[in-house]
Amino acid sequence: MSIKRLRLLGLLPTWVTIGVLMIGPLLIMAAVSLMEANVYGGVHLRFDVSSYVQILFDKNLFDETEFNPAYLIIILRSFMLALGATGLALLIGFPAAYYIARQPDHRKNLLVFLITIPFWTNLLVRTFAWVIILGRGGFMDQVGSFLNIIGPDESINLMYTNTAILIGLVYSYLPLMVLPLYASMEKMDVRLLEAGADLYANRYELIRRIIVPLTMPGIIGGSILVFVPCLGAFIAPDLLGGGKKLMLGSLVQLQFATSRNWPFGAAIAMMLLAIVVIALMVNARAARRHAVYEQTGAEATHG
Amino acid sequence: MASPHRKSKFRPIWDFPGFGGLSVGFFAFLYVPILVLVAYSFNGSKFAMVWSEFSWRWYLKLLENDDIHSAAINSLIVAFFAAPAATIMATLAALVMVRGGPFRSRAFTAGLITLPLMVPEIVTAVATLIFFALLNINLGLINIILAHTVFCIPFAYMPIRAALEAMDPGLEVAAQDLYADRWDAFRYVTLPLLTPGIMSGFMLAFVISIDDFIITLMVAGAGSTTLPVYIYSMIRTGVTPEVNAVSTLLLAVSVILVSVYWLLSSANRKGEAIG
């Protein structure tokens, strides 16, 4: 068999599977977002952009189009929570990633493995653990009353708040922040820090002027890996927000589970996809820039 | 080179004070919730969140719960079809990508394989739901297996590609020098050496399939509930400590499989260091 035939044979199953079961559905979803909703679920085969209009506008009693902020609030909440979770994950993950990167090899491998374990366990179960912790009379209330911070029947009561969702989001995606951070910190040349210190930089300046610029690909990569799934999160807002504080992911799910407005759900999903594409473009651009930066830096030292 | 000299009075400039403590906090944040969940699964109280005494009762109750059994069996059926299917495809694709020489659709294929990782899960979930619904494909568990196979491919692909890249192509050349034809070289040299990588890929795909919730929730019809979807319905309809027990078991399965994967791949690393 020729190498061409072998290649085709090897790649075809993957092409067909992902093509038919992933690209196909995404294209159909794009088409559905441009169709008219059927009130019983599904769609009428008629071109209609009203699903996209519906994101910002509503028809009032007189059939006039007017601005409706209801969904805009959900979009803004999603962005705020996703940004907040990304920032917090970066803040928590940065020192840990740096510390692990400076350990001896065998310990490094073990610690990285410990970071990946939560990633491989069930997200629903991990989020549910926070229901036990934050819920009324739960673990945190019991610890609180044991430490006499709150009375025996009082509750810290964070459930169904934005704070609870934020905690859940950070917890869900923290490993995705730390792994790329760690990867770029491990590659960093420690001698640069020594050189910086010789030039009278203090530790804060070392972080700001050496570590952060050199680990920028990890920072951006990790931030995107956290930001994107946070934006489309469904489990954390559902379990910890009580399904009342909707985010984009839960809004999409709702359109298919109860509201039965497929085109609108598809339109929101398309919006999420567009954000992912933008995020990936930002990432690619940052990586390119960093490559140039490293190259010119190398030329500066070797040339 | 970068080992911290704990006993030395000098703190190397790259050793930041406080980062060690923050790292301990970081790991506590990752693991305390999981440990709380596990501890509460042994809680004798009728209420999921209020601690009373140590007891196995919720695990014993699981043994009697037929709904959980059938959900767990569904999960296993799905994973035992989706993970091998994904692993076979990923292995074939990885062989072509690493050993196939230069070809035009390489970047396209690489993008295609990572696509399921890039698209937010909820988007994949509703797109697949629309796809099955509009084409009227209603095959129960087979729908779920098809959906799982897709997102298992990249997880199976990554360790297999890494194992292939780490393998010395000279070995195959040597085999061919010793009059093995291309198929024999593959069958007796490449494949045995690649087996740990393929096993790793299979295990990751299996874990991802067993744990998937959102896509399964949207795609599953009545009567084809998997364990995570069943756990979700338990949480929604009122939390009993039984949820903690079944959740703990699901956690244990993932942790065991991933640990085996890790041991396999670190054995591989050691083998390389020696060989």
Side-chain angles (χ1 to χ4, degrees):
Chain A
M1 228 185 303
S2 74
I3 183 84
K4 266 193 174 155
R5 288 271 290 281
L6 274 174
R7 245 184 235 143
L8 191 67
L9 214 65
L11 294 180
L12 208 57
T14 303
W15 283 353
V16 170
T17 307
I18 299 182
V20 172
L21 293 168
M22 182 106 202
I23 298 193
L26 288 176
L27 292 177
I28 292 177
M29 186 183 78
V32 162
S33 76
L34 290 168
M35 287 179 194
E36 195 177 301
N38 180 339
V39 277
Y40 304 110
V43 282
H44 294 296
L45 276 174
R46 246 178 311 217
F47 180 79
D48 189 358
V49 291
S50 65
S51 302
Y52 288 95
V53 177
Q54 200 188 339
I55 296 175
L56 289 181
F57 301 96
D58 208 358
K59 288 254 165 66
N60 66 10
L61 283 174
F62 312 104
D63 213 31
E64 292 160 336
T65 306
E66 61 180 12
F67 178 65
N68 175 9
Y71 296 123
L72 191 64
I73 291 172
I74 295 176
I75 294 171
L76 287 179
R77 179 189 295 127
S78 301
F79 267 96
M80 296 305 281
L81 283 172
L83 275 177
T86 308
L88 274 174
L90 184 60
L91 216 60
I92 300 170
F94 190 90
Y98 181 83
Y99 181 77
I100 295 166
R102 299 282 86 85
Q103 297 299 307
D105 276 349
H106 63 279
R107 195 184 303 161
K108 235 182 334 203
N109 288 338
L110 180 69
L111 291 176
V112 169
F113 174 59
L114 286 178
I115 295 172
T116 52
I117 285 186
F119 171 77
W120 294 111
T121 55
N122 186 290
L123 185 58
L124 176 71
V125 166
R126 282 198 293 138
T127 311
F128 174 64
W130 281 98
V131 176
I132 299 177
I133 293 174
L134 299 177
R136 182 173 285 276
F139 182 71
M140 211 167 75
D141 286 352
Q142 285 172 358
V143 171
S145 65
F146 180 76
L147 296 174
N148 269 327
I149 300 168
I150 55 169
D153 292 320
E154 281 176 300
S155 173
I156 299 169
N157 210 1
L158 279 176
M159 277 299 274
Y160 310 139
T161 61
N162 285 330
T163 313
I165 301 177
L166 191 65
I167 295 173
L169 289 176
V170 173
Y171 185 67
S172 303
Y173 303 115
L174 188 55
L176 296 179
M177 172 65 86
V178 182
L179 294 175
L181 271 182
Y182 163 80
S184 53
M185 283 178 182
E186 213 220 346
K187 275 190 293 187
M188 194 181 71
D189 190 345
V190 198
R191 290 173 307 181
L192 292 172
L193 295 181
E194 283 158 4
D198 287 346
L199 297 169
Y200 302 104
N202 59 32
R203 284 199 162 87
Y204 167 72
E205 283 170 327
L206 288 181
I207 293 181
R208 198 171 67 87
R209 304 194 41 179
I210 298 180
I211 303 178
V212 169
L214 284 177
T215 54
M216 206 35 111
I219 294 174
I220 292 173
S223 299
I224 286 173
L225 285 181
V226 174
F227 182 77
V228 166
C230 279
L231 212 53
F234 163 69
I235 297 175
D238 195 64
L239 293 189
L240 300 168
K244 284 184 189 111
K245 299 237 181 320
L246 288 184
M247 287 177 68
L248 283 172
S250 23
L251 187 62
V252 173
Q253 193 266 348
L254 211 59
Q255 303 313 314
F256 290 88
T258 46
S259 305
R260 300 225 156 260
N261 188 342
W262 285 20
F264 183 57
I268 305 274
M270 289 304 290
M271 204 172 94
L272 275 172
L273 260 186
I275 296 166
V276 173
V277 171
I278 293 169
L280 290 177
M281 271 155 49
V282 169
N283 190 30
R285 214 175 132 205
R288 248 197 329 271
R289 234 195 240 161
H290 191 82
V292 171
Y293 174 74
E294 271 190 338
Q295 214 174 8
T296 49
E299 274 160 21
T301 45
H302 296 297
Chain B
M1 172 194 75
S3 87
H5 306 283
R6 295 223 170 272
K7 288 191 182 119
S8 145
K9 277 179 211 156
F10 300 105
R11 189 183 271 282
I13 190 66
W14 44 260
D15 187 8
F16 287 84
F19 274 28
L22 289 172
S23 303
V24 172
F26 165 81
F27 280 106
F29 177 66
L30 276 188
Y31 280 93
V32 166
I34 294 174
L35 295 178
V36 167
L37 178 81
V38 173
Y40 272 63
S41 72
F42 295 105
N43 180 4
S45 159
K46 259 197 300 196
F47 307 99
M49 299 177 195
V50 186
W51 180 265
S52 68
E53 59 182 351
F54 181 88
S55 139
W56 288 98
R57 64 185 279 203
W58 302 112
Y59 287 93
L60 295 175
K61 248 195 122 188
L62 284 184
L63 290 176
E64 296 161 7
N65 190 330
D66 289 337
D67 290 341
I68 286 189
H69 293 172
S70 63
I73 289 169
N74 282 343
S75 279
L76 288 175
I77 293 174
V78 169
F80 269 115
F81 279 99
T87 309
I88 292 169
M89 289 188 246
T91 307
L92 293 174
L95 281 168
V96 176
M97 293 293 275
V98 179
R99 291 290 154 85
F103 60 97
R104 277 228 313 272
S105 52
R106 175 184 292 277
F108 164 78
T109 309
L112 198 68
I113 291 172
T114 44
L115 188 68
L117 299 178
M118 301 297 167
V119 179
E121 241 196 311
I122 188 78
V123 176
T124 311
V126 297
T128 314
L129 166 77
I130 295 174
F131 179 75
F132 284 143
L134 289 186
L135 295 184
N136 228 338
I137 301 172
N138 200 350
L139 304 168
L141 281 183
I142 295 176
N143 282 22
I144 304 179
I145 292 170
L146 289 173
H148 279 215
T149 306
V150 175
F151 64 75
C152 283
I153 290 176
F155 287 99
Y157 176 77
M158 287 183 300
I160 297 172
R161 191 196 62 185
L164 258 176
E165 277 172 349
M167 200 190 294
D168 184 357
L171 293 171
E172 285 162 47
V173 177
Q176 285 175 0
D177 283 349
L178 297 169
Y179 303 105
D181 60 27
R182 204 197 278 145
W183 167 248
D184 278 342
F186 174 74
R187 168 77 182 74
Y188 295 108
V189 177
T190 315
L191 198 59
L193 285 172
L194 194 56
T195 305
I198 295 174
M199 281 307 293
S200 301
F202 170 75
M203 254 173 296
L204 293 189
F206 193 88
V207 169
I208 286 292
S209 166
I210 282 272
D211 281 336
D212 179 73
F213 163 62
I214 295 174
I215 292 173
T216 316
L217 176 75
M218 301 304 282
V219 173
S224 41
T225 305
T226 63
L227 201 51
V229 175
Y230 187 77
I231 291 176
Y232 180 66
S233 72
M234 280 174 104
I235 295 172
R236 288 316 286 276
T237 50
V239 175
T240 70
E242 227 180 324
V243 183
N244 301 346
V246 67
S247 300
T248 301
L249 290 179
L250 190 58
L251 279 179
V253 170
S254 310
V255 171
I256 290 168
L257 282 173
V258 174
S259 303
V260 172
Y261 154 75
W262 187 67
L263 291 173
L264 265 180
S265 57
S266 55
N268 221 9
R269 272 199 298 276
K270 266 188 205 125
E272 270 160 41
I274 296 163

